[in-house]
Amino acid sequence: MARPPRAVFVTLLATALCVSLASGASAGTSRTAQETATAPAVLAPAKTEGVAPTTAGVQKAVAAILVDPALGKHRGIYVYDASRGKPVFSVGASTPYTPASTLKLLTTVSALETLGADYRFTTKVVSAANGSLILVGGGDPLLTSKRSSSTTDYPTRASLQDLAVSTAEALKAQGTRSVSLGYDASLFTGPAANTNWEPNYLTEGIAARTSALWVNEGRLSAGKARRADSPEQAAATAFATQLRAAGIKVAPTLKPVVAPADAKAVAQVESPTVGEIVEYVNLHSDNDGAEVLLRHVGLATKNGGSYTDGIKGVRATLTKLGLDVSKATIYDGSGLTRANHVPLDLLAGAIRVAASSEHPELRHLLTGLPVAGFTGSLEDRFAGPGAGAGTGLVRAKTGTLTGVHSLAGYVRDRTGTLLVFAIATDNVAVPKTLAARAALDRAAAALANCGCAA
């Protein structure tokens, strides 16, 4: 397939945003010339004065799509005019939906609000009273065992390799060449796995046991390796290996301990910023990263470090942001469980507050969303008939479980109005999966392609 000129993509994306946002995403797979021909290389300047979308106009744009039988019996859409600050259209939005991964919007917007976009998580090595070392987890969801050799990875991750090198240098400066090592993952509390998840999520490696100390998102090595039964022990083992490679002898027994609060730091590494992590989690629909952020929200709101504490923190934070959570049932941070039920206006609300002038601290929620047809979980979407108008213009978080499909994001319509939307169905027959997903793409594309004023 031929890649469209990068300038075309940049122009489309800049016009789609029409706000001062800097995207951390890079262009993904290409589109054919025929597919990209639906959007011109240079779009007309956005005009908002005197042109407002109407309920009838939005209904006209999406009505035929919403009656597609592939969407099942429980389908709905909610559209909000963010340029003027008012709801403009909804149908089927009176009851909550199983959100799947669009729930990550609630987790990540809460992380941005409670922690701040510039906050970083620290993984450190401290010295204990008996002269041993303790590897202390700070809840870095993207910590790796080895530093990346790629210069294009985003965001740049902290690694145990770098931590081991710094630790070895400090030890050698003190004349120490042999140590014993413990590890501390006590920052998070409660069950490591969510009791509402399907049992096969752990046995088949779909999700990791959430830990404040892990590498490679709970895997035994980088890539798609098997999940560790004890992520913290696997991380400590990887660190011991790196420390030995750096010239320090490490005792074979690695024990879980709790580091003293006043323990002196020997070396440390810092995660990417919370803003960058949020972008990564939403771009790639990273379940494990979302679950770690949920625990941090619990801690930041002084509820605690368990997943139930995190849920309390998310609900409190969303309420603080002016969002109504009274009809929402939330059981995790990633959307993996079907027990979650969330109203469409709440999913759209996370986008709405992030786009508002009152909350510039939440902008990373917007800049990390996948771009239709180009990046992240939307890289291979919007390719079917009727969806091309959304390519490069729609930015949205996807949600997918068996029988469940959702999209929540934003787009500029042809008159320049910024529309925030949430679309979902959670009653799709398995043979209709692709058709249902394509219908959601067409609905979002219809918002991009309409004036919605008539």
Side-chain angles (χ1 to χ4, degrees), residues 23-351:
S23 175
S26 59
T29 54
S30 57
R31 321 295 290 168
T32 64
Q34 182 177 1
E35 289 167 347
T36 56
T38 56
V42 179
L43 303 181
K47 298 178 180 179
T48 58
E49 291 186 9
V51 181
T54 64
T55 298
V58 175
Q59 182 177 24
K60 181 179 179 180
V62 300
I65 302 168
L66 293 178
V67 297
D68 189 328
L71 290 174
K73 294 181 179 180
H74 190 217
R75 86 288 292 277
I77 185 171
Y78 174 89
V79 183
Y80 183 90
D81 179 350
S83 294
R84 295 167 185 83
K86 61 180 182 179
V88 64
F89 179 74
S90 69
V91 63
S94 60
T95 57
Y97 288 76
T98 300
S101 282
T102 50
L103 184 81
K104 292 181 176 70
L105 292 169
L106 307 186
T107 305
T108 52
V109 79
S110 297
L112 287 168
E113 178 64 17
T114 57
L115 295 163
D118 295 328
Y119 189 83
R120 298 176 187 266
F121 307 118
T122 301
T123 306
K124 61 185 178 180
V125 175
V126 302
S127 56
N130 58 2
S132 64
L133 298 180
I134 302 173
L135 175 64
V136 182
D140 178 354
L142 300 184
L143 184 68
T144 63
S145 54
K146 296 181 180 180
R147 72 173 70 96
S148 174
S149 59
S150 173
T151 59
T152 60
D153 285 348
Y154 178 85
T156 302
R157 307 186 187 197
S159 73
L160 289 184
Q161 184 178 12
D162 288 331
L163 182 60
V165 169
S166 297
T167 301
E169 290 175 351
L171 293 174
K172 290 174 184 177
Q174 300 169 4
T176 302
R177 297 277 179 167
S178 179
V179 297
S180 60
L181 179 66
Y183 56 92
D184 181 354
S186 63
L187 181 65
F188 296 164
T189 57
N194 194 300
T195 57
N196 292 281
W197 290 347
E198 298 294 331
N200 70 312
Y201 286 176
L202 295 178
T203 59
E204 297 180 11
I206 296 172
R209 291 170 172 82
T210 306
S211 175
L213 175 62
W214 71 14
V215 288
N216 311 316
E217 296 197 287
R219 294 181 173 86
L220 293 172
S221 60
K224 298 296 182 181
R226 184 171 67 86
R227 304 281 191 172
D229 293 332
S230 173
E232 53 270 20
Q233 185 176 47
T237 300
F239 180 68
T241 299
Q242 296 287 1
L243 204 53
R244 293 182 185 111
I248 301 297
K249 183 179 179 180
V250 182
T253 302
L254 308 176
K255 295 182 178 181
V257 295
V258 176
D262 60 351
K264 181 180 179 181
V266 176
Q268 66 183 40
V269 291
E270 292 188 333
S271 74
T273 66
V274 166
E276 291 171 329
I277 292 171
V278 163
E279 289 185 339
Y280 180 89
V281 166
N282 284 330
L283 182 66
H284 300 286
S285 202
D286 181 356
N287 295 318
D288 303 308
E291 293 301 332
V292 170
L293 289 178
L294 178 71
R295 307 287 184 119
H296 281 298
V297 171
L299 291 168
T301 54
K302 302 188 185 306
N303 285 290
S306 71
Y307 70 80
T308 55
D309 293 330
I311 293 164
K312 291 177 184 177
V314 164
R315 296 182 71 92
T317 303
L318 296 175
T319 300
K320 175 185 172 184
L321 289 170
L323 301 178
D324 181 6
V325 300
S326 62
K327 295 181 181 179
T329 304
I330 302 172
Y331 288 104
D332 64 12
S334 59
L336 277 174
T337 177
R338 295 175 180 276
N340 294 318
H341 289 94
V342 178
L344 295 183
D345 62 341
L346 179 55
L347 293 175
I351 305 291

Side-chain angles (χ1 to χ4, degrees), residues 353-380:
V353 296
S356 71
S357 59
E358 290 81 11
H359 293 285
E361 75 278 8
L362 304 179
R363 291 293 191 264
H364 285 275
L365 187 78
L366 308 182
T367 56
L369 292 180
V371 180
F374 283 93
T375 63
S377 57
L378 285 183
E379 188 176 48
D380 297 320

